[in-house]
Amino acid sequence: MAILPIITYPNSILEKKTKKISDPKATEIKQLILGMLETLKNSGGVGLAAPQIGNSLRLSIIQIDGKTHILINPKFKYKSWKKIVIEEGCLSFPGVFFPVKRHSKVTIENLNKDGSKKIIKAEGLFAQALQHEIDHLDGILFISRKVKTKKS
Ligand code: CO
């Protein structure tokens, strides 16, 4: 599977809400996941959402702490009241980094590659990545969550 070109901002597909995947076991979904994994690995980034490679589907991948998480139709079950501000970047905004406010803990419901349901609990950087990726699937970009800092 070849490395796919990553769509950069501005592009309307990045701000469009994605469609749910009806069959996670479909061959084209498996192929898409393989392509995304290779593309993310090559990019050096933490996460990649399907719209970033031109597919408006509810699919995203995260590679963090040596683990790969494939998010198929993910949705939030819990978001902590407590929020944290951390520096964030996005493969669709090369070289752009700024602080973003995120929930410090989240729980999501996700589908496994075989279509079974899975609950993922996360905190810290993993929780941040999950929120960034699910935002992508809702057509929300991190620039809209930028924390306004006082000018010194
Ligand atoms: Co991103």
Side-chain angles (χ1 to χ4, degrees):
M1 188 90 204
I3 290 161
L4 306 158
I6 297 173
I7 292 170
T8 52
Y9 180 83
N11 186 304
S12 61
I13 198 168
L14 297 175
E15 295 181 84
K16 201 175 142 190
K17 195 174 160 80
T18 56
K19 277 196 191 132
K20 272 191 182 175
I21 289 172
S22 51
D23 181 9
K25 289 181 280 183
T27 310
E28 57 268 34
I29 299 300
K30 286 182 188 164
Q31 287 295 317
L32 182 58
I33 291 170
L34 287 176
M36 286 173 68
L37 287 169
E38 202 160 321
T39 305
L40 180 61
K41 206 174 171 185
N42 177 260
S43 74
V46 172
L48 181 70
Q52 293 179 282
I53 45 119
N55 280 268
S56 196
L57 289 171
R58 209 159 172 82
L59 168 69
S60 203
I61 56 171
I62 292 175
Q63 289 182 322
I64 196 164
D65 297 331
K67 279 186 194 162
T68 300
H69 303 271
I70 295 159
L71 309 175
I72 301 171
N73 300 344
K75 60 176 183 187
F76 289 108
K77 299 296 274 182
Y78 166 79
K79 292 172 182 173
S80 66
W81 175 82
K82 192 188 162 198
K83 288 187 175 181
I84 44 169
V85 174
I86 10 182
E87 187 103 323
E88 205 164 299
C90 179
L91 291 173
S92 293
F93 294 81
V96 178
F97 297 90
F98 51 73
V100 174
K101 198 182 255 183
R102 299 286 188 189
H103 299 279
S104 68
K105 290 182 184 177
V106 293
T107 301
I108 69 154
E109 187 183 287
N110 182 45
L111 293 185
N112 286 312
K113 281 191 279 184
D114 66 359
S116 61
K117 276 185 188 170
K118 185 187 184 181
I119 298 292
I120 301 175
K121 285 185 177 186
E123 56 185 300
L125 291 178
F126 183 28
Q128 176 195 19
L130 284 171
Q131 289 166 82
H132 181 108
E133 291 311 313
I134 294 176
D135 267 357
H136 268 302
L137 305 180
D138 291 328
I140 300 165
L141 298 171
F142 82 137
I143 43 169
S144 67
R145 298 206 188 272
K146 186 173 181 176
V147 173
K148 288 170 188 81
T149 45
K150 280 181 200 158
K151 279 179 193 152
S152 51

